[in-house]
Amino acid sequence: MLATFSLALGLFAAKVQAHGGVIGYSWDGTWYEGWHPYNTPVGQTSIERPWATYDPIMDATASTVGCNNDGNPGPNQLTATVAAGTAITAYWNQVWPHPYGPMTTYLGKCPGSSCDGVNTNSLKWFKIDEAGLLSGTVGKGVWGSGKMIDQNCSWTTTIPSTVPSGAYMIRFETIALHSLPAQIYPECAQLTITGGGNRAPTSSELVSFPGGYSNSDPGLTVNLYTQEAMTDTTYIVPGPPLYGSGGNGGSPTTTPHTTTPITTSPPPTSTPGTIPQYGQCGGIGWTGGTGCVAPYQCKVINDYYSQCL
């Protein structure tokens, strides 16, 4: 498995700077190769549904927001069997560049004995895992996506033991909040769940994609670079309540008032400036000013954002 994983990472290395997606899955010691979006679809076989680009989805209502595709299966679509209660790990191309944002995992039950031929846009999805703001503040804290990066660019979700057996799609998603509109990265794989329970999701736990998110959701419109974000410790994860939680959706993540030190890499070249405290002063693609008003300095937060602090 490790040799195959290393090969997959090597194949994806040239595209890392262009964001990316899920490149494979593993459970019970078995590796399942993901879809290769920049290879010809001819001859590709995978449990993962095809997806075509590393680019983010920046419209929460886009027709591709379900599985980063048009919803249709691949020409040689595979299905993997997994027992309820099993932990499934999804792997992203390395090194994932966006540590600020939530991780979510959904299941969508297919209507028959197989998901073959089922368009994922027709499914009802329920959320079985989420991780938003884990510690610190919205502007300086540790996020689920940061934890994913720390875990070798992987995320592990356990299939609830109470989920009824049957044919399902599993949808792993990371949402990047370093810029607005938020960047959504979903991919899906085809499963048969065995040995399940009898707790079907309630109507309040079910959503469609598109339809599960809106462009005005608080969890998709949060600005990490405001003064309020430097002290706010609550973040609302988009989507329905977690399966089995009995909640009403938009699950809040609340953390203590702690802070995480920011990166203090050398800032971009700047001139004495006009940018106020907490304003953006650099980053990939930034075309604005780079000079901060005294006494603040332009400090690198990540590759995409430098900030006057």
Side-chain angles (χ1 to χ4, degrees):
M1 170 184 157
L2 291 178
T4 306
F5 181 46
S6 298
L7 175 61
L9 292 179
L11 292 173
F12 276 74
K15 297 287 185 177
V16 166
Q17 69 276 17
H19 316 284
V22 175
I23 64 170
Y25 307 83
S26 70
W27 64 89
D28 293 340
T30 300
W31 170 260
Y32 297 88
E33 188 76 8
W35 188 261
H36 295 272
Y38 291 92
N39 292 356
T40 175
V42 177
Q44 284 204 56
T45 60
S46 178
I47 66 169
E48 189 171 48
R49 287 292 179 93
W51 51 288
T53 176
Y54 288 177
D55 294 338
I57 298 167
M58 301 177 72
D59 178 358
T61 66
S63 61
T64 55
V65 78
C67 296
N68 197 15
N69 67 359
D70 62 5
N72 290 315
N76 303 294
Q77 187 67 51
L78 301 179
T79 300
T81 299
V82 60
T86 298
I88 295 180
T89 301
Y91 296 85
W92 279 257
N93 51 287
Q94 293 187 334
V95 173
W96 188 253
H98 306 310
Y100 305 105
M103 302 293 300
T104 65
T105 310
Y106 289 79
L107 288 175
K109 195 172 192 304
C110 295
S113 59
S114 170
C115 290
D116 290 345
V118 174
N119 188 295
T120 55
N121 289 355
S122 68
L123 299 181
K124 294 292 186 180
W125 300 86
F126 56 101
K127 191 194 301 179
I128 61 171
D129 189 18
E130 66 178 23
L133 181 62
L134 302 180
S135 65
T137 66
V138 169
K140 295 184 178 180
V142 176
W143 291 82
S145 53
K147 182 178 178 181
M148 178 265 278
I149 294 169
D150 291 342
Q151 296 172 161
N152 199 29
C153 294
S154 71
W155 192 261
T156 300
T157 294
T158 298
I159 303 295
S161 60
T162 53
V163 166
S165 301
Y168 287 85
M169 300 298 302
I170 189 167
R171 177 183 184 271
F172 282 90
E173 173 185 61
T174 182
I175 299 175
L177 300 176
H178 66 278
S179 65
L180 294 176
Q183 299 183 0
I184 303 172
Y185 299 89
E187 275 81 40
C188 302
Q190 198 162 301
L191 304 176
T192 297
I193 296 177
T194 62
N198 56 12
R199 201 282 190 185
T202 64
S203 59
S204 67
E205 295 169 346
L206 293 169
V207 296
S208 299
F209 286 113
Y213 300 156
S214 77
N215 289 317
S216 60
D217 284 348
L220 298 177
T221 58
V222 61
N223 187 337
L224 306 186
Y225 308 103
T226 64
Q227 188 166 358
E228 180 184 6
M230 299 303 147
T231 58
D232 191 0
T233 58
T234 301
Y235 169 76
I236 300 175
V237 178
L242 278 173
Y243 168 80
S245 68
N248 295 314
S251 309
T253 304
T254 305
T255 65
H257 284 269
T258 58
T259 58
T260 301
I262 62 171
T263 304
T264 56
S265 305
T269 302
S270 62
T271 56
T274 59
I275 301 172
Q277 184 184 22
Y278 303 128
Q280 184 176 358
C281 55
I284 295 174
W286 175 248
T287 58
T290 59
C292 303
V293 297
Y296 306 111
Q297 295 181 346
C298 189
K299 295 189 177 182
V300 175
I301 305 298
N302 57 51
D303 289 344
Y304 293 86
Y305 275 90
S306 297
Q307 191 174 31
C308 292
L309 296 171

